[in-house]
Amino acid sequence: PLTELDDAFYAWEDEHRTTEDGYGYGWYVHYENDIKVLSHYGFTTGFTSQVIRVPDLELTVGVFSNYVGRNRNIMHCANALASIYSQYKVPMPIEILMKKEIDLNGISSGLSVYDKFKSDPKYKYEKTTLSFLGAEYYRMEKLEVAESVYLKAVEEDPGYFGGYFGLGRVYRGFGNKEESIYNYQKVVELGTDEEDWILEVAKQALEELTQ
């Protein structure tokens, strides 16, 4: 029988519990291969953490650090452990595999790993995957690597704004004004209902670049 506590572990819509992806009472809820996965990531002064629970598999993973600020490495650690200890019933985000390969053997090898495993059910690919990975290298100021990842993102999904936004930033960093303008214009053209701030950044960049 369900208890009131169970309400925390379901997503809610219009005051009704659903079995869809969403947010419960303090937990993000999503389903991987019909398995419910609960997670929460957060940071504040003095720490960053990621917790993942897979109730059906009686599996809980917690990663805690004294790193301050958003850090996808913490998320990668938790996701990798959840995948390994579930024997890949919970698929591993393919960007984890790619990042390891890129750091060890270079960008070409990392993109080859993507092409090889993107359809493997042991690994998870989302439309944001390559854009997020490109952003990691952009933040590390590895612009050439970020460029290659963003170009792959555009190739894989030319109707998604993420790769163009990344290329706009990268080419601006390179001092390539023409290419930067083109890619920011693509962001505005495609639009996004998910991240309004990205549209504002793109519009502001275009205003500055075209003055």
Side-chain angles (χ1 to χ4, degrees):
L2 296 176
T3 67
E4 289 185 3
L5 180 61
D6 290 306
D7 286 343
F9 308 134
Y10 284 86
W12 288 76
E13 183 176 346
D14 298 328
E15 299 183 2
H16 295 286
R17 236 169 45 178
T18 77
T19 55
E20 304 296 324
D21 292 359
Y23 192 72
Y25 295 157
W27 292 94
Y28 291 99
V29 183
H30 67 282
Y31 295 83
E32 303 283 2
N33 300 326
D34 296 324
I35 298 172
K36 181 189 287 187
V37 179
L38 309 169
S39 64
H40 208 291
Y41 171 83
F43 60 89
T44 187
T45 304
F47 73 88
T48 301
S49 64
Q50 169 83 57
V51 177
I52 297 174
R53 294 185 61 231
V54 190
D56 289 349
L57 302 180
E58 298 184 344
L59 173 64
T60 299
V61 172
V63 177
F64 306 93
S65 81
N66 59 2
Y67 180 92
V68 179
R70 187 175 298 278
N71 186 337
R72 287 185 69 79
N73 287 331
I74 304 299
M75 301 170 72
H76 288 339
C77 287
N79 285 319
L81 288 169
S83 296
I84 292 167
Y85 280 98
S86 69
Q87 297 181 322
Y88 291 89
K89 291 176 183 176
V90 177
M92 184 180 297
I94 196 170
E95 66 183 285
I96 296 174
L97 195 65
M98 289 181 68
K99 188 172 187 301
K100 180 179 178 180
E101 187 66 23
I102 291 169
D103 292 346
L104 288 175
N105 298 310
I107 182 61
S108 295
S109 186
L111 295 179
S112 294
V113 161
Y114 169 82
D115 289 330
K116 181 177 180 180
F117 292 107
K118 66 180 179 180
S119 299
D120 189 324
K122 289 169 56 177
Y123 299 98
K124 180 179 179 179
Y125 168 75
E126 299 177 296
K127 68 177 182 179
T128 57
T129 292
L130 293 172
S131 297
F132 281 157
L133 182 59
E136 287 192 62
Y137 287 105
Y138 176 81
R139 286 191 292 271
M140 290 188 284
E141 299 183 355
K142 297 183 178 181
L143 298 188
E144 291 82 3
V145 176
E147 177 191 17
S148 294
V149 176
Y150 286 134
L151 286 170
K152 187 69 171 177
V154 169
E155 176 188 324
E156 290 292 295
D157 192 350
Y160 178 59
F161 69 88
Y164 299 106
F165 181 73
L167 288 171
R169 295 198 297 178
V170 165
Y171 288 131
R172 193 172 188 182
F174 285 155
N176 189 333
K177 183 177 178 180
E178 183 178 342
E179 285 295 327
S180 184
I181 289 173
Y182 169 80
N183 282 282
Y184 279 130
Q185 285 176 335
K186 289 293 292 184
V187 175
V188 174
E189 174 189 322
L190 291 169
T192 168
D193 296 328
E194 305 158 22
E195 302 285 357
D196 290 339
W197 69 270
I198 286 181
L199 277 179
E200 294 306 312
V201 171
K203 290 175 182 178
Q204 179 65 35
L206 283 170
E207 184 177 329
E208 294 169 359
L209 287 165
T210 54
Q211 283 180 348

